């Protein structure tokens, strides 16, 4: 016979202690609310004192006091704005104040409430969560090996061929688009990148970017034709060329395709990688001579599978780049900025967001609409919990268009691929980089 009397008495005693403790906490909470209702300053002081410890607040940086003027600092986990001040010899000077734009939505984690604050520099935006598995973004050996070009040959412009009129955008304002930028909460201007970084990659940091034109293709004998066409809807002015062919055809290498695209005025080459008939990687080549960025790709969801999805239009979207702070993050942000036109077509009300969180880049595309605030909804507030003046009765609605996916940067080659870079790798992800969970590379 099992005696359970002591066990039941312990359980009853625990329940009594727990009720007594919860009752005390409840009384304290209601007493605090009554006091704050009489004096609202107590509520503001409590919110200012109780700051949540987020992963971004616990983020650690490398201790850098001196920096080489010619070092781009791609391997350093240091704030790019501070690094630039060290390179210019003014470590005590502060970066210029930014003017925040009043964003009107808190419905999505990728679109935080925008505050009018000039001292916070955590995110980058221009209109110019989940963690995926660690994949390998390297190309296969056959992709790096050229079938026609010798290793010493460089990709050069061998003349220009004008594509047919049907391949050219028909927008009347597509010839002079540059210079439009918008900034969101905790935004950092892209011009805060280190000077050495701009000197090493002058085409990515050009003050007058060219109208982007993207060529999308896949790895050899790929079956991702549908996914590649969806990528062309995401990147403006893009064309998809199949790389699959019969066994007697010539297998062109990445360098040969890059030379072909550069001679036809393409500015970016995007190669989609496949594994088990699913997209697993994305290689982005900045033409005509590089650099080449290798990303692993996961969590691919096409737009039709998203609940309540919309259909994209052909308008140039706005671009939001969030939380790219280190020199490596600045370089990655400038790469994506070169893919999208710097002057969006606002009448399309489309926005593409690349949100960096813990070195994972979440790619989303939405259509937004401004509407009147309902009586059951709260007004948009700033970081201190105060309502933003001028937009008290306005809210923003979002409709995701897709596709959505997650990128992680794996390697940066100087030229076009590892073969075109003569083995010179600017940066490469290593497993030891993720050991310290409070230090990030982007």
């Amino acid at each position: 016979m099992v005696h359970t009397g002591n066990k039941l008495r312990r359980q009853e005693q625990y329940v009594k202690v727990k009720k007594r403790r919860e009752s005390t906490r409840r009384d304290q909470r209601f007493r605090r609310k009554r006091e704050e209702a009489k004096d609202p300053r107590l509520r503001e002081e409590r919110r200012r004192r109780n700051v949540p410890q987020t992963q971004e607040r616990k983020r650690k940086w490398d201790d850098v006091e001196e920096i080489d003027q010619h070092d781009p600092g791609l391997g350093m986990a240091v704030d790019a704005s501070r690094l630039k001040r060290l390179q210019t010899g003014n470590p005590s000077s502060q970066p210029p104040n930014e003017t925040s734009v009043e964003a009107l939505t808190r419905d999505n984690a990728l679109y935080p409430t925008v505050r009018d604050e000039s001292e916070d520099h955590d995110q980058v935006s221009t209109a110019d969560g989940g963690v995926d598995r660690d994949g390998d973004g390297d190309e296969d050996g056959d992709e790096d090996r050229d079938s026609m070009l010798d290793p010493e040959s460089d990709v050069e412009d061998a003349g220009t061929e004008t594509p047919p009129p049907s391949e050219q955008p028909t927008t009347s304002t597509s010839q002079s688009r540059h210079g439009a930028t918008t900034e969101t909460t905790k935004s950092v201007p892209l011009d805060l990148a280190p000077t050495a970084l701009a000197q090493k990659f002058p085409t990515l940091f050009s003050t007058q970017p060219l109208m982007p034109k993207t060529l999308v293709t896949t790895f050899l004998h790929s079956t991702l034709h549908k996914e590649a066409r969806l990528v062309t809807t995401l990147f403006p002015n893009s064309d998809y060329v199949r790389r699959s062919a019969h066994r007697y055809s010539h297998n062109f290498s990445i360098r040969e395709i890059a030379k072909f695209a550069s001679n036809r005025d393409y500015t970016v080459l995007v190669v989609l990688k496949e594994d088990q008939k699913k997209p697993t990687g994305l290689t982005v080549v900045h033409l005509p001579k590089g650099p080449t960025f290798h990303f692993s790709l996961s969590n691919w969801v096409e737009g039709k599978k998203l609940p309540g999805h919309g259909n994209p239009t052909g308008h140039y979207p706005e671009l939001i780049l969030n939380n790219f702070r280190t020199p490596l993050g600045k370089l990655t942000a400038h790469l994506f900025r070169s893919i999208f036109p710097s002057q969006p077509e606002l009448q399309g009300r489309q926005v593409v967001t690349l949100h960096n969180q813990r070195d994972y880049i979440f790619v989303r595309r939405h259509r937004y609409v401004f509407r009147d605030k309902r009586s059951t909804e709260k007004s948009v507030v700033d970081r201190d919990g105060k309502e933003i003046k001028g937009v008290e009765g306005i809210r923003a609605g979002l409709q995701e268009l897709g596709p959505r996916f997650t990128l992680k940067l794996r390697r940066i080659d100087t030229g076009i691929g590892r073969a075109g870079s003569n083995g010179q790798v600017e940066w490469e992800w290593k497993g030891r980089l993720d050991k310290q969970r409070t230090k990030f590379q982007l």
Side-chain angles (χ1 to χ4, degrees):
M1 181 176 180
V2 180
H3 298 281
T4 60
N6 290 336
K7 179 180 178 181
L8 295 177
R9 280 193 293 270
R10 288 195 302 269
Q11 289 179 351
E12 292 176 358
Q13 183 66 19
Y14 172 75
V15 171
K16 291 180 181 179
V17 172
K18 185 177 179 181
K19 286 183 178 179
R20 191 181 309 114
R21 184 171 60 247
E22 293 298 330
S23 177
T24 304
R25 292 179 179 176
R26 182 177 180 275
D27 293 340
Q28 293 177 353
R29 185 168 61 252
F30 277 87
R31 187 184 309 112
R32 186 197 67 203
K33 288 185 177 181
R34 288 192 296 268
E35 294 175 354
E36 290 178 351
K38 296 178 181 179
D39 190 359
R41 292 178 298 179
L42 297 177
R43 183 186 298 108
E44 297 179 2
E45 182 180 355
R46 176 178 58 85
R47 290 178 176 176
R48 186 165 51 251
R49 184 174 60 252
N50 297 337
V51 179
Q53 288 296 325
T54 61
Q55 190 72 20
E56 190 64 31
R57 291 186 178 275
K58 294 186 289 184
R59 181 173 183 174
K60 295 183 179 180
W61 304 90
D62 290 337
D63 188 11
V64 178
E65 297 298 338
E66 296 182 1
I67 188 65
D68 186 4
Q69 296 287 340
H70 304 287
D71 184 11
L74 292 181
M76 300 185 211
V78 61
D79 197 345
S81 58
R82 181 172 179 269
L83 184 61
K84 185 172 183 179
R85 294 197 299 272
L86 288 174
Q87 289 182 341
T88 55
N90 297 322
S92 60
S93 63
Q94 297 295 328
N97 295 337
E98 298 93 13
T99 303
S100 300
V101 179
E102 296 177 350
L104 305 177
T105 175
R106 302 180 63 187
D107 301 333
N108 194 300
L110 300 184
Y111 294 84
T113 305
V114 172
R115 275 79 65 172
D116 186 10
E117 185 173 7
S118 61
E119 297 178 359
D120 214 349
H121 307 286
D122 294 338
Q123 297 178 1
V124 178
S125 76
T126 68
D128 315 62
V131 176
D132 60 357
R133 68 180 188 277
D134 289 340
D136 188 6
D138 295 343
E139 295 182 0
D140 298 334
D142 295 337
E143 296 296 317
D144 286 335
R145 188 183 306 113
D146 284 338
S147 57
M148 285 187 172
L149 300 178
D150 52 349
E152 291 76 18
S153 62
D154 295 331
V155 178
E156 299 176 354
D157 290 333
T160 58
E161 295 183 16
T162 304
S166 59
E167 300 180 5
Q168 304 239 359
T170 57
T171 310
S172 60
T173 61
S174 62
Q175 300 299 328
S176 59
R177 295 181 172 173
H178 56 81
T181 60
T182 59
E183 298 179 358
T184 59
T185 307
K186 302 186 289 186
S187 63
V188 178
L190 288 178
D191 57 1
L192 289 182
T195 307
L197 201 62
Q199 293 176 353
K200 193 172 185 64
F201 305 99
T203 55
L204 282 178
F205 290 83
S206 176
T207 56
Q208 295 182 353
L210 300 175
M211 173 57 63
K213 186 180 178 183
T214 307
L215 178 63
V216 180
T217 186
T218 60
F219 273 35
L220 288 172
H221 311 296
S222 175
T223 60
L224 300 179
H225 306 299
K226 180 181 179 181
E227 289 79 0
R229 291 192 181 93
L230 291 177
V231 172
T232 59
T233 64
L234 181 65
F235 299 144
N237 300 335
S238 58
D239 302 313
Y240 171 55
V241 177
R242 289 193 176 207
R243 208 172 168 196
S244 304
H246 55 82
R247 61 178 179 173
Y248 297 107
S249 64
H250 181 76
N251 295 329
F252 292 96
S253 66
I254 295 296
R255 294 184 66 200
E256 292 171 328
I257 296 175
K259 186 174 182 179
F260 168 88
S262 179
N263 293 338
R264 286 155 180 80
D265 296 333
Y266 285 96
T267 59
V268 179
L269 172 63
V270 176
V271 184
L272 195 62
K273 185 179 179 180
E274 173 187 6
D275 186 20
Q276 297 181 356
K277 296 186 178 181
K278 294 181 179 179
T280 58
L282 198 69
T283 300
V284 183
V285 183
H286 185 70
L287 302 176
K289 296 183 179 181
T292 302
F293 291 72
H294 303 272
F295 299 92
S296 60
L297 188 150
S298 62
N299 302 331
W300 172 276
V301 181
E302 59 179 289
K304 290 185 177 180
K305 295 184 179 180
L306 296 173
H309 71 89
N311 296 322
T313 60
H315 298 89
Y316 293 162
E318 303 173 58
L319 178 63
I320 299 179
L321 301 169
N322 284 341
N323 205 22
F324 293 89
R325 300 184 60 182
T326 66
L328 183 63
K330 297 288 186 182
L331 183 63
T332 308
H334 276 273
L335 171 74
F336 288 111
R337 189 187 71 162
S338 66
I339 303 178
F340 292 87
S342 56
Q343 180 65 35
E345 295 176 346
L346 301 179
Q347 63 269 26
R349 295 183 288 107
Q350 294 183 157
V351 57
V352 175
T353 303
L354 286 90
H355 176 76
N356 172 44
Q357 184 174 345
R358 304 184 186 185
D359 290 343
Y360 290 88
I361 304 174
F362 300 92
V363 182
R364 302 290 186 268
R365 177 169 57 168
H366 293 84
R367 179 181 292 113
Y368 60 88
V369 61
F370 297 109
R371 57 175 174 80
D372 295 334
K373 183 178 71 67
R374 302 187 183 98
S375 58
T376 57
E377 294 177 334
K378 296 182 179 180
S379 300
V380 180
V381 298
D382 57 10
R383 164 170 279 183
D384 298 330
K386 300 179 180 179
E387 295 185 0
I388 300 178
K389 296 181 179 179
V391 293
E392 293 85 353
I394 302 177
R395 294 287 290 182
L398 293 177
Q399 182 184 38
E400 190 167 359
L401 306 179
R404 67 160 62 165
F405 52 91
T406 306
L407 299 175
K408 185 174 178 65
L409 182 61
R410 298 297 179 178
R411 193 176 79 238
I412 300 179
D413 296 328
T414 304
I416 299 179
R418 182 164 287 181
S421 304
N422 295 326
Q424 183 179 359
V425 179
E426 288 294 334
W427 181 86
E428 188 170 11
W429 178 87
K430 301 292 184 181
R432 56 180 170 79
L433 298 177
D434 290 346
K435 284 189 175 180
Q436 189 172 356
R437 302 188 60 167
T438 55
K439 184 178 290 187
F440 308 112
Q441 302 301 315
L442 298 182

